[in-house]
Amino acid sequence: MKQKLQEIAARFDLLSQRERVMVASAALIVIGLLCYMPLESLLLKQSKLTQQNRGIVAENQVSMQQIALYNQRLAQDPNDEYNARFATLEQQSTELDKQLSFQMVDMVPADHMPALLSQLLEKVRGIKLQNFQSIAPTPLLAVGEEKKMNLYSHGLRLTFQGDYFAVLKFVEAIESMPNKLYWKRMEYQVDEYPMADVVLELYTLSINKDFISVSSQG
């Protein structure tokens, strides 16, 4: 090995100054390349490791966010949403109760309808009552059975005879009552003039769903 180096050195001494510079430059380039190749490999590995590390950091951040979200959900009472909806429904129910109570102030109580109409029939001359029948109460609001209050339509169907002026007077008497009754249906048919057969349905509103008890009259 030593002899080889000596031979190379002897040959190098025989070269001109320019040739020596060229050979030295080439040698430096080769040495530089030999040194850069492992360095490049290390740089590539380092870059790859850096990218992998960034990916791991990003995955960890996502995982931490998911864990924080799970912890937040676990900390919440599962009944919170139900309780909030229940409170809203309770408030709506209370407001509905107030509205119904207010609207019922000027209405004829359902259980007073038969007596009031009987009194009106007695006062109006020319009216002959044939039938006095109650109509099954009908709930007006779809509030569900668990609710405390609903609004029911209570109706009475009157069948009677009378001439035009007697029927008109009876209708005006109903409309002039301080407490209100509402129209639902009226049939007016003249078979033998001037008498007419009349079917009149009236109704009131009530929070009581009990059936109006009346006796059929003829």
Side-chain angles (χ1 to χ4, degrees):
M1 183 66 179
K2 185 177 180 180
Q3 184 178 358
K4 286 282 187 181
L5 292 174
Q6 290 176 350
E7 291 178 358
I8 293 173
R11 292 180 181 179
F12 184 76
D13 290 337
L14 295 176
L15 298 175
S16 63
Q17 183 67 25
R18 181 181 177 185
E19 290 174 342
R20 289 180 182 181
V21 172
M22 293 177 62
V23 170
S25 299
L28 290 174
I29 293 172
V30 172
I31 293 172
L33 290 174
L34 293 175
C35 293
Y36 176 76
M37 289 177 63
L39 180 61
E40 182 184 20
S41 178
L42 291 174
L43 291 174
L44 291 175
K45 289 181 180 180
Q46 180 65 27
S47 177
K48 187 176 181 181
L49 289 174
T50 301
Q51 292 178 354
Q52 291 177 349
N53 186 49
R54 289 177 180 173
I56 293 172
V57 170
E59 291 177 359
N60 287 339
Q61 290 177 347
V62 173
S63 299
M64 292 299 294
Q65 291 175 354
Q66 291 177 344
I67 291 172
L69 180 61
Y70 293 151
N71 290 334
Q72 182 180 1
R73 290 181 178 178
L74 290 174
Q76 291 178 346
D77 187 347
N79 293 324
D80 284 348
E81 184 177 358
Y82 170 79
N83 292 334
R85 291 182 180 178
F86 182 77
T88 301
L89 291 176
E90 281 290 318
Q91 182 179 359
Q92 292 176 351
S93 176
T94 301
E95 293 176 356
L96 178 61
D97 290 349
K98 292 179 180 179
Q99 292 176 5
L100 293 182
S101 299
F102 177 77
Q103 292 175 2
M104 298 302 301
V105 171
D106 63 347
M107 298 294 298
V108 173
D111 54 350
H112 292 178
M113 285 181 68
L116 287 175
L117 291 174
S118 295
Q119 292 173 7
L120 288 178
L121 287 168
E122 291 175 0
K123 292 180 180 180
V124 179
R125 295 181 180 181
I127 294 293
K128 181 181 179 181
L129 181 65
Q130 295 177 318
N131 197 351
F132 200 65
Q133 182 181 2
S134 59
I135 302 172
T138 304
L140 300 182
L141 304 175
V143 294
E145 302 221 347
E146 72 277 5
K147 293 299 176 183
K148 295 182 294 184
M149 185 179 293
N150 199 339
L151 190 61
Y152 296 88
S153 169
H154 292 265
L156 288 175
R157 182 182 296 111
L158 282 68
T159 304
F160 56 89
Q161 286 184 334
D163 60 27
Y164 172 80
F165 294 102
V167 173
L168 178 61
K169 189 174 181 179
F170 179 62
V171 171
E172 289 177 343
I174 294 174
E175 292 182 339
S176 63
M177 289 192 309
N179 292 348
K180 304 301 181 184
L181 286 174
Y182 292 100
W183 298 91
K184 200 164 190 177
R185 183 170 70 95
M186 182 176 182
E187 296 179 4
Y188 186 94
Q189 182 176 354
V190 178
D191 290 331
E192 294 184 10
Y193 183 83
M195 302 301 291
D197 294 323
V198 181
V199 177
L200 177 63
E201 289 186 1
L202 300 169
Y203 71 94
T204 186
L205 302 179
S206 174
I207 59 176
N208 189 349
K209 65 179 179 179
D210 294 336
F211 198 84
I212 299 177
S213 178
V214 297
S215 59
S216 178
Q217 300 182 22

